[in-house]
Amino acid sequence: MTTPRKAQIAAILGAIALLVLLLFARKTGAPESTKKSESAASTDFSMESYIDSIKKTLDKNALALIEEQAASQSAAALDSLSGIWHSLNQAGIEAHYLQKSAEMQQDAKKWNKAGAAYYKASRFATESYRHYFVDQAVAAYSSSLQLDSSNLDTKVNLGICYVESTAEPMKGIMLLREVVAKDSTNINAQLNLGLFAVQSGQYDKAIERFKKILRLNPEFTEAYLYLGQTYANIGKKKEAIEALEKFKELSKDETVVSEITQYINQLKNS
């Protein structure tokens, strides 16, 4: 996971609502009351059946290439299979073979890649598959940390999975706090703590996180957008407009700039 995204930022107004949801959308976890049943459903998931169902949609050439590599159980063949499925935009199956290769070689980097692929798959999966992929992402990132506990990016990614998609969000928050305690300049951790603060209505804390990011990197464009929207949420229109104008200055996407301009005008006229 590179620059992480969040959904359901509180009180998104007007045009920026669609902008934030489209550009920075992230799935949040289901209500806690439903998580137990989802978890139980995920135990019925069969990766083998899932792979078979996807194979039925492939052309003969792709299928032949997959079958050729599947005949071997070597790490090289597993890596090749993960690459093939990556090229087919099947992140869940890509992750499955990365996981097998990581298990065989006990490779922290491969575990990390498997976690990232499983998490990606969870973001686009139907509800019946999503929870399985999240569970596997958590397991993969945890395995990576067991082999390399010094990798703070892996710890951030594991924390995000816990907060967004499990019944243990505080476990994820604590992981993120551990990261910033060890390295306060970790922008990924600071950003996610800020975004989670917005979700829980802790706007002052969120603002401090976003300001911290901008002190570390004044050209971190997204932070200006989040800062501007957070200021707008608490009625500080002047500060919101200043942050959004800075976002416009740095953004190279004309469509985004147009949307932000409309939102700024709404703030000025409200």
Side-chain angles (χ1 to χ4, degrees), residues 57-256:
T57 69
L58 302 179
D59 62 43
K60 292 181 179 180
N61 291 333
L63 190 58
L65 186 59
I66 288 168
E67 297 300 338
E68 178 184 347
Q69 295 300 318
S72 170
Q73 293 298 311
S74 68
L78 294 170
D79 290 341
S80 179
L81 281 166
S82 72
I84 293 168
W85 286 107
H86 174 81
S87 69
L88 295 170
N89 295 315
Q90 293 293 336
I93 306 176
E94 172 195 357
H96 172 69
Y97 287 108
L98 282 169
Q99 179 184 37
K100 283 182 171 293
S101 180
E103 287 173 344
M104 183 178 293
Q105 299 180 75
Q106 287 302 296
D107 186 314
K109 290 182 179 179
K110 283 187 178 177
W111 275 120
N112 198 21
K113 288 178 67 176
Y118 272 128
Y119 180 74
K120 179 182 178 181
S122 76
R123 295 182 64 193
F124 301 101
T126 61
E127 196 61 31
S128 58
Y129 300 152
R130 186 189 68 82
H131 204 76
Y132 172 85
F133 290 140
V134 170
D135 287 347
Q136 294 303 310
V138 168
Y141 282 133
S142 297
S143 294
S144 182
L145 282 174
Q146 287 176 4
L147 294 169
D148 180 11
S149 61
S150 66
N151 192 319
L152 297 184
D153 288 336
T154 302
K155 187 172 285 190
V156 170
N157 293 337
L158 178 58
I160 292 168
C161 286
Y162 273 122
V163 174
E164 291 187 353
S165 305
T166 76
E168 301 178 284
M170 282 310 300
K171 183 179 287 190
I173 294 294
M174 293 306 296
L175 285 169
L176 293 172
R177 288 176 179 169
E178 286 177 17
V179 171
V180 297
K182 189 174 183 65
D183 177 13
S184 64
T185 68
N186 189 298
I187 288 178
N188 199 5
Q190 293 283 2
L191 179 62
N192 279 280
L193 284 169
L195 292 169
F196 294 139
V198 170
Q199 284 192 319
S200 60
Q202 300 178 77
Y203 297 122
D204 289 343
K205 290 183 178 180
I207 287 168
E208 286 308 308
R209 297 285 184 190
F210 299 145
K211 285 183 174 180
K212 170 77 171 180
I213 291 168
L214 292 171
R215 287 195 295 272
L216 294 170
N217 182 1
E219 295 187 357
F220 193 88
T221 312
E222 293 172 31
Y224 288 107
L225 176 60
Y226 290 126
L227 181 62
Q229 183 57 52
T230 306
Y231 274 131
N233 286 344
I234 59 177
K236 292 189 174 183
K237 291 194 288 185
K238 177 177 178 294
E239 292 86 346
I241 290 169
E242 288 175 354
L244 293 170
E245 289 286 4
K246 188 64 177 178
F247 175 84
K248 280 178 54 180
E249 180 184 321
L250 293 173
S251 178
K252 298 179 180 179
D253 188 317
E254 292 182 4
T255 302
V256 173

Side-chain angles (χ1 to χ4, degrees), residues 17-39:
L18 181 59
L19 179 67
V20 170
L21 289 172
L22 289 177
L23 297 182
F24 307 112
R26 244 189 177 177
K27 293 182 178 178
T28 56
E32 194 161 331
S33 61
T34 69
K35 286 190 173 167
K36 184 175 181 180
S37 61
E38 283 183 8
S39 184

